[in-house]
Amino acid sequence: DVLSVSPLAGNCALLRSLLTADSMTMARLVYAPVNPVVPPPFETEPNYTEFWLEHRIWIRAVEKRGELNNGATMQESSVRSILAQCSLERVCRILRPIGYELIHVEHL
């Protein structure tokens, strides 16, 4: 009954593919990460694949410098993943036509 999308996945593309008519996924509640920096009514839908490719390059550079297990690096990696998510307005625009409505926003 619950679909939870990881912040390590591109939420907009994933929501579309999991919740469209061709999909077998049926959820009563959708828990999706959003970019907290872009407030409604502004909309953004970053290309998560492009982000991930750039992020991999960044991670490899950090690893080469021997800073991968550094707490600050892990924190920056988490922040980068969240900022690569769609805005709240965009998620709502994707979900409204397929019968979902916003009931709660959880701040990180």
Side-chain angles (χ1 to χ4, degrees):
D1 281 352
V2 176
L3 172 65
S4 179
V5 180
S6 168
L8 298 178
N11 64 354
C12 283
L14 195 55
L15 287 172
R16 271 193 211 94
S17 65
L18 290 175
L19 296 171
T20 57
D22 297 339
S23 170
M24 292 303 294
T25 305
M26 298 187 347
R28 298 180 83 190
L29 181 68
V30 176
Y31 186 88
V34 295
N35 182 331
V37 178
V38 184
F42 301 107
E43 251 182 87
T44 185
E45 184 173 340
N47 181 328
Y48 197 82
T49 303
E50 194 175 284
F51 157 76
W52 189 251
L53 293 173
E54 291 172 10
H55 190 68
R56 263 187 16 194
I57 292 167
W58 177 78
I59 287 287
R60 286 181 179 152
V62 166
E63 191 174 34
K64 237 181 197 176
R65 293 191 309 263
E67 300 172 358
L68 189 59
N69 293 325
N70 177 325
T73 299
M74 299 311 284
Q75 174 75 19
E76 184 175 345
S77 181
S78 296
V79 168
R80 285 170 169 251
S81 294
I82 291 295
L83 295 179
Q85 300 300 320
C86 290
S87 63
L88 176 61
E89 186 69 24
R90 187 69 189 135
V91 170
C92 288
R93 273 192 200 261
I94 290 169
L95 295 178
R96 263 188 226 113
I98 52 178
Y100 292 93
E101 64 182 71
L102 178 66
I103 57 172
H104 179 75
V105 175
E106 185 174 313
H107 189 272
L108 296 175

